[in-house]
Structures are given as C-alpha cells and as structure tokens.
Amino acid sequence: MEEQAPGATDVHPGLPLEETQEKYPTIQPKRRLSRRSSILSDASVNAFNTVVEQSEKIQDANFWFEMQDDNIVTVGFILIAIFVAAFCGIAAYLLHVAVYWSGCLGGANGCHQHILLDRLEDIGVNKSVFFLVGAPVSGLICSLILQLPVAKKCKGGGSAGAKVVISAGQFVSGWVPLLRIVLAAVYLGGGNTLGSEGPIIHLSSCLATWFVHILGFESRKMFSMFAVVGAAAGIAAGFGVVVTGVVFVIEELTRSLSPRSALIVSLGTGIATLVRHRLAEFAHDYIGMERHSMVPPSSTWAELTDAD
C-alpha cells in the first residue's frame, strides 16, 4: 500500500520539518501560513482602530471646529446652534409670560390687574397685608419644590448654576428648565424681589444640554460648548439686546473666545432675540396679550419723586 502524504497544511508528526519537506515536497509548513494569517489579522486590527479613531474624532466637539474641509459637519454644527438658540428664546419668553401672569394676582411684575387682591379687599385685606403674607408663603412653596430630587440642580443663583453646567459638561434633565420657570413665577408672584435674568441664564444652559442629548450626542465638550451658546442666547433674549449675550459670555463664563466660537455665539444671541420679539408680536397681534415690561412706567417714577 502506498504511503499517503499528510494534508498540505500539516507537518508529519513523526518526522522533523526538514525530512518532511524532502519526503513530501507539497507540504507547506504551518509556520508560513500562520505568519501570513497574522499579517492579515494585524491589517484588520489596524483598519478597525482607524475607523474607531475617526468616529471618536467626529464626536469630539473640538475636532468639529478644526475640520476645515468638511462643510457638512460645519453646517450641521451651526444648525444645532440655531435650534438651541431658538428654544432658548422661546423659554425666555415663556418665563417672562409666567412671571407676568403670576403678578396679576396682586398687581405686580408689570401686570395692572388684581385678580386675587380685589377679592381679598372685600374682606378687609389691603395690599400691604397681601404682600406681607404672600411673600413668605410663596417662598415656602418654592422651598418645598426644591426638596424634590429632580429640583436639586435648581438651587442657587442662575449665573452660578450656568457655570456649574458648563464646567461639568454633563447632560441636565429637561425638568430643570421647566422647574426654573415655575419657581420664578411662584416666587415673584408672591411679591418677592428676584431678577428674572438669572433663572433665564440657568434654564437656557440646561435646555441646551438637554437638546444636544436628545440629538444623540454624549461628548462632554459638546455639552459645555452648547451650554455656553444657550447661556448667551438666554441672557440676550432676556434683555432683548444681542450684544448682551456675547459680553456676558466673555466676562463671566469663558474669558476668551476663538473667532469661530464667537461667530456661533453671536449667531445664537441674534436668533434667540429675534424669536422672543416675534413671539411677543404674535401674542399681541393674534391673541390680544398686552405688551408688558418688568420696568415700571415713567409715570410710576414720577409719582415716587413727586414733591407732594
């Protein structure tokens, strides 16, 4: 019986490698194939690592600013900033409206109606007593709201909260902007003194991180960058002046801005201010809501400074 040669990929177990090659010339040692396989596997690993690195760079916010040739990425980033600024402008307008209507209970916050005060005056409660009782009661309600687990990030001032959001670079729940509006309306509606711009700054930065999270981004730098855009858009919409947001960002948040970042922040402040003004015009023309301002009219100042 003829001796059959082993398979082409095996080395005869009973003979050394040199004798096996002399007796069976068709045999290819395992070492050569394993070496070729290792070369192919190394190339596959390198290709996979390259793909992973490219995907990580695309998710990195700083790399987005460095990409000069990819117009899709640049346009996409600007579009996200526009949507963030538009939502911040809407939020700023809603906060002003909520504060305005809460003041209608006692004729505060620019509202000339006295819905609750007029009924209490019939039983002998005057305006002074109303606000002496209403201020601590509204403060107590806000304190109870702040005890909720979801409201922990609403504690503190608006500027300080915005700085925390920007430095942390983390996603903030969408309940925080909503609770900021509720807290400002309740607190100011009771006659307490509070500037509405602080809550606007904080809720706008939180709203920006929530919107970026909804779009599927999880990069810390993305959250921080759009939190800056949101804070600038919110403060600009609150005051109704575009340059306010840019100045606030430079003075309080970042101290310096790259040219591209400055353009995006300026665009965001302009969009937010435009959205807020258009919403106010729409509410006045089609809903009949009177235009209001937190600043007292000139007649009030005249009465306070009257010598009589």
Side-chain angles (χ1 to χ4, degrees):
M1 180 180 296
E2 295 182 0
E3 186 176 2
Q4 295 181 353
T9 60
D10 296 329
V11 178
H12 197 280
L15 296 176
L17 178 61
E18 293 78 5
E19 298 183 8
T20 303
Q21 291 179 346
E22 292 178 359
K23 189 172 183 180
Y24 305 105
T26 59
I27 292 180
Q28 298 295 332
K30 266 188 176 180
R31 288 186 301 179
R32 296 182 181 178
L33 289 179
S34 61
R35 183 179 179 184
R36 184 178 301 172
S37 301
S38 63
I39 294 175
L40 292 176
S41 61
D42 291 341
S44 302
V45 171
N46 292 333
F48 177 78
N49 292 334
T50 302
V51 173
V52 172
E53 291 177 0
Q54 293 296 330
S55 62
E56 291 177 352
K57 287 182 178 180
I58 293 177
Q59 293 178 359
D60 192 346
N62 283 348
F63 186 75
W64 283 42
F65 288 105
E66 296 172 3
M67 296 179 68
Q68 303 291 339
D69 298 330
D70 196 345
N71 294 326
I72 298 177
V73 175
T74 303
V75 172
F77 195 90
I78 294 176
L79 288 177
I80 296 175
I82 291 174
F83 280 111
V84 167
F87 276 97
C88 291
I90 295 173
Y93 176 75
L94 292 178
L95 187 141
H96 277 290
V97 171
V99 170
Y100 171 79
W101 284 110
S102 66
C104 292
L105 296 176
N109 304 332
C111 183
H112 302 292
Q113 302 180 22
H114 309 79
I115 299 175
L116 182 59
L117 181 59
D118 290 341
R119 299 189 178 185
L120 293 177
E121 284 181 344
D122 297 336
I123 60 176
V125 178
N126 57 24
K127 192 171 186 178
S128 299
V129 175
F130 174 82
F131 284 110
L132 284 175
V133 177
V137 169
S138 61
L140 176 62
I141 295 174
C142 292
S143 299
L144 295 176
I145 294 175
L146 290 173
Q147 299 303 317
L148 298 175
V150 72
K152 289 183 178 180
K153 293 187 177 181
C154 293
K155 298 180 180 179
S159 299
K163 291 179 181 179
V164 171
V165 173
I166 294 171
S167 60
Q170 295 178 354
F171 156 69
V172 180
S173 173
W175 287 103
V176 174
L178 180 61
L179 288 175
R180 268 295 185 182
I181 296 176
V182 173
L183 289 170
V186 173
Y187 193 76
L188 289 173
N192 293 287
T193 57
L194 175 70
S196 60
E197 286 73 22
I200 289 177
I201 298 171
H202 186 218
L203 76 87
S204 297
S205 59
C206 295
L207 185 63
T209 62
W210 176 80
F211 186 80
V212 172
H213 173 75
I214 291 298
L215 293 179
F217 298 98
E218 299 295 338
S219 173
R220 179 177 179 272
K221 295 178 181 179
M222 287 285 287
F223 288 142
S224 297
M225 179 60 199
F226 280 106
V228 172
V229 175
I235 191 66
F239 283 103
V241 181
V242 175
V243 72
T244 306
V246 180
V247 174
F248 174 78
V249 167
I250 296 176
E251 289 185 351
E252 298 292 336
L253 299 181
T254 61
R255 301 293 180 183
S256 62
L257 285 175
S258 64
R260 187 177 296 229
S261 300
L263 288 175
I264 293 179
V265 170
S266 301
L267 176 64
T269 57
I271 294 296
T273 305
L274 178 64
V275 169
R276 183 184 180 278
H277 285 314
R278 290 293 178 264
L279 284 175
E281 292 178 359
F282 177 83
H284 176 73
D285 296 337
Y286 296 97
I287 302 179
M289 184 181 299
E290 62 176 341
R291 296 181 180 179
H292 59 277
S293 175
M294 298 290 180
V295 180
S298 57
S299 59
T300 302
W301 298 112
E303 293 175 0
L304 293 175
T305 56
D306 192 359
D308 298 334

